[in-house]
Amino acid sequence: MKDCLFCKIANKEIESDIVFESDKVMVFKDVSPVAPVHLLVIPKKHISSIMEIDKMDGPEIEGMMKTIVSMASDLGLEKDGFRIVTNIGDNGGQSVGHLHFHILGKRKFVWPPG
Ligand code: AMP
């Protein structure tokens, strides 16, 4: 989608620190990390938030979820625990209107979140 930051990252119009890429999914490092591990997992196709998940088919959703799990596994996050976050809208704290999952790890997180 024109003017979408993460579409531009997916299309490589804007540079990012890519950790993994398939034809449908990209994983890159968050530019302002809030934890020692802070990755963003996005579908390359424009979806504004998880509320538009119907725009993805079953295999696309499965591929995205399995990418999150394999990233966390490869980084050894499971043993100590970690967090997966997707923010939705203003109250959720979403600042980029393209579906993304934060993978946050290697430090302790509090609950409830701020
Ligand atoms: P959210 O607030 O949940 O929408 O998350 C958006 C995330 O994108 C924030 O954690 C930002 O630090 C991150 N971000 C913004 N611009 C970039 C960029 N150019 N490359 C990587 N991460 C970015």
Side-chain angles (χ1 to χ4, degrees), residues 11-71:
N11 297 332
K12 299 184 181 149
E13 288 168 54
I14 291 180
E15 215 177 298
S16 66
D17 198 341
I18 299 168
V19 177
F20 171 81
E21 182 176 13
S22 70
D23 56 336
K24 308 262 183 187
V25 178
M26 187 180 271
V27 184
F28 52 97
K29 292 186 181 173
D30 196 294
V31 78
S32 305
V34 296
V37 171
H38 189 171
L39 301 178
L40 299 173
V41 181
I42 64 164
K44 287 188 171 176
K45 172 159 103 178
H46 185 81
I47 313 279
S48 61
S49 82
I50 200 165
M51 298 310 288
E52 291 190 348
I53 200 82
D54 283 350
K55 291 185 177 171
M56 296 175 76
D57 63 24
E60 285 173 333
I61 297 168
E62 183 181 0
M64 191 171 61
M65 291 299 147
K66 286 190 168 170
T67 297
I68 294 171
V69 170
S70 63
M71 279 293 124

Side-chain angles (χ1 to χ4, degrees), residues 80-101:
D80 291 335
F82 64 104
R83 192 167 285 183
I84 298 165
V85 174
T86 190
N87 296 320
I88 300 121
D90 280 350
N91 276 2
Q94 184 177 9
S95 62
V96 178
H98 182 126
L99 174 61
H100 52 282
F101 293 88

